[in-house]
């Protein structure tokens, strides 16, 4: 069965970039179907939109074996995309993140984050200027608490199996000092066992600023993708509620994969 990867397009540079990112990420993968998805609000826009989609489909078909296009209208972009993703049993959504100044585009930061918050499938948020150069190093940001084999972890393992990267698991906590507490050691050992096929490396950083720690780590370890999930870091639950915690998504130089239960 083919895995369906949906790329929403509002025909902004950000969305075109996300489409190229997805096409390069799954280059020559016969087991992947890439769906170029467009939501329109005016009936008179249909022909122009379909021409854009067909043109991009032709362009990306050089790299992708299976590409489809789909356009629809409705009262709410997020609800329509969510419903379509359910119908197609989407494996992943790859979506761009447009800055707050893009008033007329569907992919305002709020819409992108709203889609990532939905419990549909993993959502890869691609920064506006990100270019795909490989998926060699993946970072999981983890609280190291209540580690167990959850649907989130299973979804993450499927993604990891796609790329077989060097896996880095990072815990940031201002309480870390010279050595780990017994509690952290127990949870680390559990996660190491659950992710054993990917040979994870564990890191514990004693920094007070979570964003600073992530940015430093991404740069130093040449991270290509950050994975966050509700069971990996409590940060996720706050991600869509405060301006402060949205900073990681807005400022990240590499794509962030949001995985829900």
């Amino acid at each position: 069965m083919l895995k369906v990867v949906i790329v929403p397009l509002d025909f902004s540079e950000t969305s075109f970039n996300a489409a190229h990112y997805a096409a390069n990420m799954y280059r020559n993968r016969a087991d992947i179907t890439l769906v170029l998805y467009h939501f329109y609000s005016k009936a008179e826009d249909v022909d122009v939109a379909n021409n854009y989609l067909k043109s991009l489909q032709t362009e990306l078909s050089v790299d992708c074996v299976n590409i489809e296009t789909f356009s629809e209208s409705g009262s709410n972009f997020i609800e329509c995309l969510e419903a379509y993703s359910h119908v197609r049993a989407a494996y992943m959504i790859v979506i761009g993140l447009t800055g707050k100044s893009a008033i007329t585009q569907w992919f305002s930061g709020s819409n992108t984050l709203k889609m990532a918050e939905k419990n549909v499938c993993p959502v890869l948020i691609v920064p506006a200027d990100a270019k795909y150069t490989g998926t060699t190093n993946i970072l999981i940001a983890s609280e190291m608490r209540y580690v167990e084999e959850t649907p989130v972890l299973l979804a993450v393992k499927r993604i990891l199996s796609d790329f077989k990267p060097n896996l880095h698991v990072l815990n940031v906590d201002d309480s870390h000092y010279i050595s780990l507490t017994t509690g952290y050691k127990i949870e680390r050992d559990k996660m190491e066992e659950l992710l054993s096929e990917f040979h994870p490396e564990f890191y514990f950083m004693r920094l007070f600023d979570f964003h600073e720690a992530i940015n430093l780590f991404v740069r130093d370890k040449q991270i290509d993708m950050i994975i966050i999930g509700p069971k990996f870091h409590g940060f996720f639950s706050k991600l869509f509620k405060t301006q402060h915690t949205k900073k990681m998504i807005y400022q990240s130089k590499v794509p962030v994969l949001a995985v829900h239960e």
Side-chain angles (χ1 to χ4, degrees), residues 42-65:
K42 298 177 183 178
E44 57 265 32
D45 295 338
V46 175
D47 289 341
V48 173
N50 286 336
N51 286 337
Y52 269 121
L53 290 175
K54 291 298 182 184
S55 177
L56 185 60
Q57 180 184 29
T58 301
E59 181 182 351
L60 298 182
S61 62
V62 174
D63 297 321
C64 292
V65 178

Side-chain angles (χ1 to χ4, degrees), residues 148-201:
E148 56 189 28
E149 187 85 287
T150 63
V152 168
L153 193 61
L154 291 173
V156 168
K157 287 168 85 169
R158 287 193 291 271
I159 301 296
L160 294 174
S161 296
D162 257 355
F163 302 108
K164 298 177 175 57
N166 300 316
L167 179 59
H168 308 267
V169 181
L170 173 65
N171 175 264
V172 180
D173 196 302
D174 58 17
S175 67
H176 291 319
Y177 195 51
I178 295 173
S179 60
L180 290 180
T181 64
T182 301
Y184 274 115
K185 288 178 181 177
I186 291 172
E187 297 303 314
R188 177 198 61 191
D189 291 346
K190 280 196 228 172
M191 186 170 273
E192 186 171 26
E193 182 178 354
L194 291 170
L195 295 171
S196 59
E197 63 194 283
F198 306 106
H199 310 291
E201 294 286 339

